[in-house]
């Protein structure tokens, strides 16, 4: 058996899951040179919600974060999470935007791109895989793991074979809700190993308390790479902690070869960061509670806090248990989509509306209508005629790849932001998050003007005319 490789997630999913992606770039940079010596397979540090959070909450340029982190590393590959044709947003984007985004991501320092689609509609990841390989990146195709009457090992093996045939360099099993049980993990990996030849990586969350056990059984079955988070930002709704996994495998045939001494230094550093977020009230201790309800409701960690927030804003926090019961009903109505961005937010919001308003589908978000029209892709189970009529009436459902209906937009976006344009990446930032980007660009311009003005004043004082 080959040694197990480790992808460290503290710089992306670790803090996304525990502190809503609030870690700042300047909190990451001081420890990177030590992390670079640990022996990780890769550092997951970009994509997912990091891009949005940088702009929306931290007033940071996510592209600059990527460049700064890349500059500190010489041994370790950088990895990101890409939502297929959704890129890092919450809808499908045209191919020209997707291609340029991947090209720029790789050009700025990304080595490995994990590509998934919320519906496991492989039409929505094919272009991203093709483009990643074209520009020299490692394309990791993804099977999004969920449980339903139709989701089973045979389905996942079928998807994996198609992903390999697309040219993916590796496969990820993405268990975003932490619902993969240890023995199913063993059976799934064992079966996949018999049908595909590319490396298999397992990503899970500790929400149900089973992820470390699932990892160990998957390792026995032949998984190649696992995702872990350094202990201060591990466990709870995050990934299993890195150090215990490394210690457990030491001196076995699966020995990771990672430096436990260096890992201890990394852990000590992030303990201080964690304590700051506890003191600030951003890290809620409840995220570390084991919650086996996730096995029934399949709610990812980030979705749970979002539901609570939505209910609180409606003065309906007492309806939480009713929403938990309504969630699987909505999911069944919509063809059992896996609950991962953006479908988790869509299903959750609809469940909240159904409960708070006291009538199912009395109010329907535009995203749900678009979903039922096929604009996000095709669910595994067809949506019933009754639900379609209730949500979109007699409107037509598209059957083509959704992005085929989207005209090129890059040139338009570039024209729209010419007042703020400083780099090619700005066009992509604007394409994904127009309103948030404009606010960020305005602040950046204002700050730059102040700096320039200060320099001019200083120069005038030093060299009077």
């Amino acid at each position: 058996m080959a040694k197990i490789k480790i992808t460290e997630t503290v710089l992306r999913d670790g803090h996304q899951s525990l502190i809503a992606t609030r870690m700042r770039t300047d909190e990451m940079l001081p420890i990177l040179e030590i992390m670079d010596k640990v022996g990780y397979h890769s550092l997951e540090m970009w994509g997912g919600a990091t891009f949005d959070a940088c702009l929306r909450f931290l007033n940071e340029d996510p592209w600059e974060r990527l460049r700064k982190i890349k500059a500190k590393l010489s041994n370790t590959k950088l990895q990101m999470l890409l939502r297929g044709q959704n890129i890092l947003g919450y809808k499908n984007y045209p191919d020209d935007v997707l291609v340029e985004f991947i090209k720029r991501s790789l050009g700025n320092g990304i080595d490995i791109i994990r590509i998934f689609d919320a519906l496991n509609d492989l039409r929505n990841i094919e272009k991203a895989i093709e483009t990643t390989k074209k520009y020299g990146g490692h394309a990791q195709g993804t099977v999004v793991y969920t449980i339903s009457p139709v989701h089973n090992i045979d389905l996942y093996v079928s998807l994996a074979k198609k992903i390999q045939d697309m040219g993916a360099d590796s496969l990820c099993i993405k268990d975003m809700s932490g619902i993969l049980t240890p023995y199913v993990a063993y059976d799934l990996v064992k079966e996949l190993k018999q049908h595909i030849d590319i490396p298999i990586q397992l990503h899970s969350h500790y929400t149900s308390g089973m992820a470390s056990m699932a990892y160990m059984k998957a390792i026995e079955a032949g998984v190649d790479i696992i995702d872990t988070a350094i202990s201060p930002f591990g466990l709870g709704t995050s990934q299993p902690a890195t150090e215990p996994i490394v210690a457990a495998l030491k001196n076995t045939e699966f020995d990771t070869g990672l430096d436990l001494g260096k890992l201890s230094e990394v852990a000590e550093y992030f303990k201080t960061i964690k304590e700051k977020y506890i003191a600030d009230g951003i890290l809620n201790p409840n995220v570390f509670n084991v919650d086996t309800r996730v096995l029934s409701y399949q709610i990812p960690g980030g979705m749970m806090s979002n539901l609570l927030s939505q209910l609180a804003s409606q003065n309906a926090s007492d309806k939480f248990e009713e929403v938990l019961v309504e969630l699987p009903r909505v999911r069944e109505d919509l063809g059992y989509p896996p609950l991962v961005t953006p479908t988790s937010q869509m299903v959750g919001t609809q469940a909240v509306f159904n409960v708070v308003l006291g009538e199912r589908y009395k109010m329907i978000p535009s995203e749900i209508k678009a979903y039922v029209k096929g604009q996000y892709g095709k669910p595994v189970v067809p949506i019933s005629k009754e639900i379609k009529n209730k949500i979109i009436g007699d409107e037509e459902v598209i059957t083509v790849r959704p992005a085929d209906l989207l005209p090129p937009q890059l040139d338009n976006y570039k024209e729209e932001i010419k007042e703020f344009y400083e780099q090619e990446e700005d066009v992509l930032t604007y394409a994904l998050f127009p309103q948030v980007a404009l606010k960020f660009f305005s602040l950046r311009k204002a700050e730059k003007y102040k700096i320039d003005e200060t320099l001019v004043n200083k120069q005038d004082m030093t060299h009077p005319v």
Side-chain angles (χ1 to χ4, degrees):
M1 299 291 293
K3 292 187 174 184
I4 298 301
K5 297 176 181 177
I6 300 281
T7 291
E8 172 61 58
T9 69
V10 66
L11 303 181
R12 205 282 296 178
D13 205 6
H15 74 106
Q16 179 172 318
S17 297
L18 298 184
I19 59 169
T21 332
R22 295 299 198 272
M23 197 183 298
R24 303 185 61 83
T25 302
D26 59 14
E27 293 171 325
M28 302 175 181
L29 296 177
I31 194 62
L32 291 180
E33 289 174 3
I34 292 175
M35 294 182 78
D36 195 34
K37 298 173 183 175
V38 168
Y40 293 118
H41 167 67
S42 62
L43 290 179
E44 193 207 32
M45 46 63 66
W46 216 58
T50 60
F51 199 97
D52 186 1
C54 273
L55 296 165
R56 193 183 301 268
F57 302 114
L58 307 178
N59 193 29
E60 290 187 8
D61 183 348
W63 298 99
E64 189 62 22
R65 171 180 290 190
L66 172 55
R67 291 189 285 264
K68 285 180 176 179
I69 291 176
K70 186 67 174 181
K72 290 276 189 177
L73 303 168
S74 56
N75 304 310
T76 313
K77 293 179 179 178
L78 296 187
Q79 184 166 323
M80 72 168 291
L81 181 68
L82 188 84
R83 298 169 186 152
Q85 210 71 35
N86 295 164
I87 309 181
L88 299 179
Y90 309 103
K91 65 177 184 178
N92 281 324
Y93 294 88
D95 284 340
D96 67 331
V97 177
L98 174 72
V99 169
E100 186 68 10
F101 187 90
I102 290 173
K103 180 181 175 183
R104 294 283 168 184
S105 298
L106 296 170
N108 279 278
I110 291 294
D111 300 291
I112 302 168
I113 302 183
R114 177 176 294 168
I115 304 160
F116 79 94
D117 177 69
L119 297 178
N120 282 321
D121 186 337
L122 302 187
R123 298 174 302 171
N124 290 333
I125 70 170
E126 190 166 15
K127 187 69 174 180
I129 289 175
E130 171 196 316
T131 305
T132 300
K133 291 180 67 67
K134 177 180 178 180
Y135 290 103
H138 176 113
Q140 184 173 87
T142 304
V143 167
V144 178
Y145 181 81
T146 189
I147 300 169
S148 83
V150 294
H151 288 88
N152 53 43
I153 288 176
D154 288 343
L155 173 63
Y156 293 131
V157 169
S158 173
L159 289 168
K161 288 161 72 175
K162 290 174 184 174
I163 288 170
Q164 178 174 264
D165 290 344
M166 285 180 180
D169 298 299
S170 61
L171 177 84
C172 174
I173 304 166
K174 182 175 174 60
D175 173 29
M176 62 284 168
S177 299
I179 57 177
L180 181 62
T181 62
Y183 288 98
V184 173
Y186 181 91
D187 292 342
L188 176 57
V189 172
K190 199 76 173 174
E191 195 67 21
L192 285 170
K193 278 290 180 179
Q194 293 177 13
H195 289 90
I196 63 172
D197 301 320
I198 54 179
I200 298 173
Q201 184 156 358
L202 178 56
H203 171 92
S204 188
H205 289 249
Y206 209 78
T207 316
S208 70
M210 296 190 299
S212 291
M213 293 181 278
Y215 278 10
M216 296 305 280
K217 293 302 293 183
I219 287 167
E220 291 176 8
V223 83
D224 300 282
I225 314 160
I226 55 175
D227 287 5
T228 64
I230 201 73
S231 55
F233 283 90
L235 306 178
T237 51
S238 179
Q239 281 70 58
T242 306
E243 308 97 301
I245 295 279
V246 170
L249 297 177
K250 194 169 179 61
N251 299 323
T252 72
E253 59 188 314
F254 309 113
D255 195 323
T256 65
L258 268 59
D259 188 325
L260 275 167
K262 289 284 188 293
L263 283 175
S264 293
E265 291 183 59
V266 175
E268 284 300 316
Y269 177 83
F270 281 108
K271 277 180 189 175
T272 304
I273 304 295
K274 178 181 181 180
E275 286 164 4
K276 172 197 164 187
Y277 285 101
I278 292 173
D280 291 346
I282 295 172
L283 177 54
N284 185 332
N286 290 332
V287 298
F288 293 105
N289 294 340
V290 169
D291 190 352
T292 53
R293 290 181 300 181
V294 74
L295 299 173
S296 299
Y297 306 125
Q298 303 190 35
I299 301 175
M303 182 182 175
M304 185 74 80
S305 58
N306 190 45
L307 284 177
L308 291 167
S309 175
Q310 284 183 322
L311 287 169
S313 69
Q314 301 287 329
N315 293 318
S317 297
D318 59 319
K319 303 282 189 185
F320 181 61
E321 296 298 328
E322 290 179 57
V323 171
L324 288 183
V325 173
E326 177 64 10
L327 263 166
R329 295 181 65 200
V330 173
R331 182 169 174 254
E332 181 179 359
D333 290 344
L334 298 180
Y336 294 106
L339 295 183
V340 65
T341 303
T343 53
S344 55
Q345 290 88 337
M346 291 155 55
V347 171
T349 300
Q350 187 65 66
V352 168
F353 283 165
N354 289 358
V355 168
V356 171
L357 297 176
E359 181 183 334
R360 303 189 81 228
Y361 301 107
K362 181 178 182 180
M363 183 182 290
I364 302 166
S366 58
E367 292 84 359
I368 290 285
K369 293 179 181 179
Y371 171 90
V372 175
K373 288 178 191 175
Q375 291 173 4
Y376 283 88
K378 184 180 178 183
V380 174
V381 176
I383 299 169
S384 72
K385 188 175 181 181
E386 177 191 356
I387 294 296
K388 280 181 186 172
N389 288 340
K390 191 173 286 189
I391 293 176
I392 62 170
D394 57 3
E395 291 188 56
E396 184 180 353
V397 175
I398 68 168
T399 56
V400 299
R401 183 183 78 116
D404 287 343
L405 302 176
L406 302 175
Q409 289 292 335
L410 268 181
D411 290 342
N412 295 338
Y413 292 144
K414 189 168 185 177
E415 178 65 22
E416 288 172 20
I417 65 155
K418 59 183 180 182
E419 177 187 352
F420 299 106
Y421 178 92
E422 292 187 8
Q423 57 180 351
E424 281 296 322
E425 289 81 3
D426 288 343
V427 182
L428 296 164
T429 300
Y430 175 74
L432 296 187
F433 303 104
Q435 292 177 317
V436 176
L438 287 176
K439 181 180 178 182
F440 170 77
F441 294 154
S442 297
L443 288 170
R444 182 179 67 182
K445 188 174 183 180
E447 288 172 5
K448 186 177 181 182
Y449 176 76
K450 286 177 187 175
I451 292 170
D452 289 347
E453 191 177 56
T454 301
L455 290 173
V456 169
N457 290 339
K458 185 177 180 182
Q459 187 172 3
D460 287 345
M461 290 170 63
T462 309
H463 304 284
V465 177

